[in-house]
Amino acid sequence: MNKNMGYAKKLFSGDIIGYFMIFGAGVLWGTIGLFVKTLSGIGASTQLISFMRLFMGFCILIPIMLFTGGVKIFKIDKSGLVQCLMLGILSQALFNYCYTMSIESVGVATGSILLYTAPVFVCIMSKIFFKEFISRIKIFALIINLAGCFLMVTGGDLSAFRISALGIFFGLAAAFLYSLVTIIGKSASGNVHPFTIVFYSFLFGWLTLGIISAPWQEVSGGFGFKFWIYAFGYGLIPTVGSYLLYMGGLRKNLEISKLPVIASVETVVATLIGVLVFNESLNFISVMGIVILLASIVIMNMKMKKSEIENQEGGN
């Protein structure tokens, strides 16, 4: 047991607990498709599903925060509130809108592949804002992570791959907005409790989505008990649970550029749920994609020798 822990410490740099929190967040995000498909089957629109995710998450957080920290945990300074406002509007509401528009323009497969460029944006911004060193190992891990995602989503079949200038724009915009969760979240996490960050980002997110999509009429149309149960689960598992883990992980001493690659385990979980729950097919190419993506997570977290870092820095 001690040998295994020692090996893990050698393999993973930084705070290992923080990296496992990010990994756990990715696992919970992987259940999104399960709830979306179930709610769609009940008759809810895409706009309503996006809205309910943030609204239910917001409602669920209130008793949790009151129980764990009392009223004082809701207090936040102006700087933190501005950061939460940016998270809520950009990385929650506008992200959902752009991703939906991308899928409508180019389909689920192409939209998903475009979204998986988010780690590239995070890597670039971590260099600019946090002065992180981008090693050859990180670049290699990013490349094979994208390759793994591509193989998993397409299964080697490019017939569902569609090109549209508008769809590509919205897809890349969604990836960029998604990447801001990590960048803005890291900036806010040093001064504000994770519960507080998530609470206010959800608040601004569902308010913005409410203005954009106006789901009130659809809700007033009436849904049964089953809808509210699944909406509650959607707000709890891949929303409150995942974001609390992710924001908690950001408070640790982690390399920001690594986090989206680690969280990309979401894709593996989503694929396995599709196979086990919805009887979706999984061919050899998709399995290879899973293996490659998991390998990219390991590679991204491998430590470089000091001499290798010095050589690379000297060559830049």
Side-chain angles (χ1 to χ4, degrees):
M1 182 74 174
N2 290 334
K3 282 186 177 181
N4 291 335
M5 287 301 295
Y7 175 74
K9 287 180 180 178
K10 288 180 181 179
L11 182 62
F12 291 89
S13 59
D15 191 319
I16 192 170
I17 295 176
Y19 287 122
F20 275 117
M21 291 176 75
I22 301 299
F23 186 88
V27 170
L28 295 184
W29 273 324
T31 65
I32 287 175
L34 173 64
F35 289 100
V36 169
K37 285 192 175 184
T38 305
L39 289 168
S40 296
I42 294 173
S45 67
T46 303
Q47 290 78 11
L48 177 60
I49 293 170
S50 298
F51 172 82
M52 290 302 298
R53 181 189 182 191
L54 300 181
F55 179 73
M56 292 302 295
F58 167 81
C59 294
I60 291 167
L61 267 176
I62 294 174
I64 294 175
M65 291 173 68
L66 287 172
F67 179 77
T68 57
V71 178
K72 64 181 180 180
I73 201 172
F74 292 91
K75 292 182 179 179
I76 187 170
D77 58 24
K78 289 182 180 179
S79 175
L81 195 64
V82 170
Q83 289 167 325
C84 289
L85 180 67
M86 292 172 65
L87 275 174
I89 294 176
L90 299 177
S91 298
Q92 300 287 1
L94 291 183
F95 159 70
N96 276 285
Y97 176 79
C98 287
Y99 190 42
T100 300
M101 290 297 293
S102 175
I103 289 174
E104 288 180 357
S105 299
V106 295
V108 174
T110 308
S112 298
I113 292 166
L114 290 170
L115 180 62
Y116 298 142
T117 61
V120 177
F121 288 111
V122 173
C123 194
I124 294 170
M125 287 189 286
S126 69
K127 174 72 172 177
I128 296 171
F129 297 112
F130 302 111
K131 310 302 179 186
E132 283 194 4
F133 174 63
I134 307 302
S135 66
R136 293 192 184 104
I137 285 180
K138 286 184 179 180
I139 294 171
F140 177 64
L142 279 172
I143 292 171
I144 66 170
N145 183 266
L146 287 170
C149 289
F150 180 83
L151 292 176
M152 267 195 301
V153 171
T154 63
D157 181 11
L158 301 182
S159 61
F161 195 76
R162 290 158 52 187
I163 299 295
S164 159
L166 187 65
I168 291 173
F169 169 78
F170 278 115
L172 292 177
F176 174 73
L177 293 169
Y178 179 69
S179 70
L180 291 179
V181 171
T182 303
I183 303 302
I184 300 174
K186 178 61 178 178
S187 300
S189 62
N191 305 316
V192 187
H193 194 283
F195 282 30
T196 313
I197 296 173
V198 175
F199 175 79
Y200 284 106
S201 67
F202 285 175
L203 170 63
F204 294 126
W206 71 256
L207 284 174
T208 305
L209 279 177
I211 294 170
I212 293 173
S213 59
W216 326 112
Q217 187 173 355
E218 190 175 351
V219 173
S220 64
F223 282 100
F225 181 71
K226 192 175 180 181
F227 168 82
W228 293 103
I229 289 294
Y230 284 115
F232 178 84
Y234 194 26
L236 178 65
I237 298 171
T239 308
V240 170
S242 58
Y243 276 99
L244 288 182
L245 281 173
Y246 200 80
M247 292 301 169
L250 287 177
R251 292 171 69 89
K252 308 292 183 180
N253 182 29
L254 310 180
E255 292 184 62
I256 301 304
S257 54
K258 293 181 176 182
L259 306 189
V261 171
I262 296 172
S264 66
V265 69
E266 164 192 355
T267 319
V268 177
V269 175
T271 301
L272 294 178
I273 287 176
V275 173
L276 298 174
V277 178
F278 299 106
N279 297 316
E280 295 177 358
S281 60
L282 186 67
N283 60 24
F284 177 75
I285 300 296
S286 297
V287 173
M288 285 299 297
I290 292 174
V291 173
I292 291 170
L293 186 143
L294 293 176
S296 75
I297 295 175
V298 175
I299 293 169
M300 178 60 90
N301 287 279
M302 291 177 66
K303 282 186 176 181
M304 289 185 68
K305 294 179 180 178
K306 188 176 180 181
S307 59
E308 292 175 335
I309 295 174
E310 289 172 351
N311 288 336
Q312 281 194 225
E313 287 179 330
N316 291 336

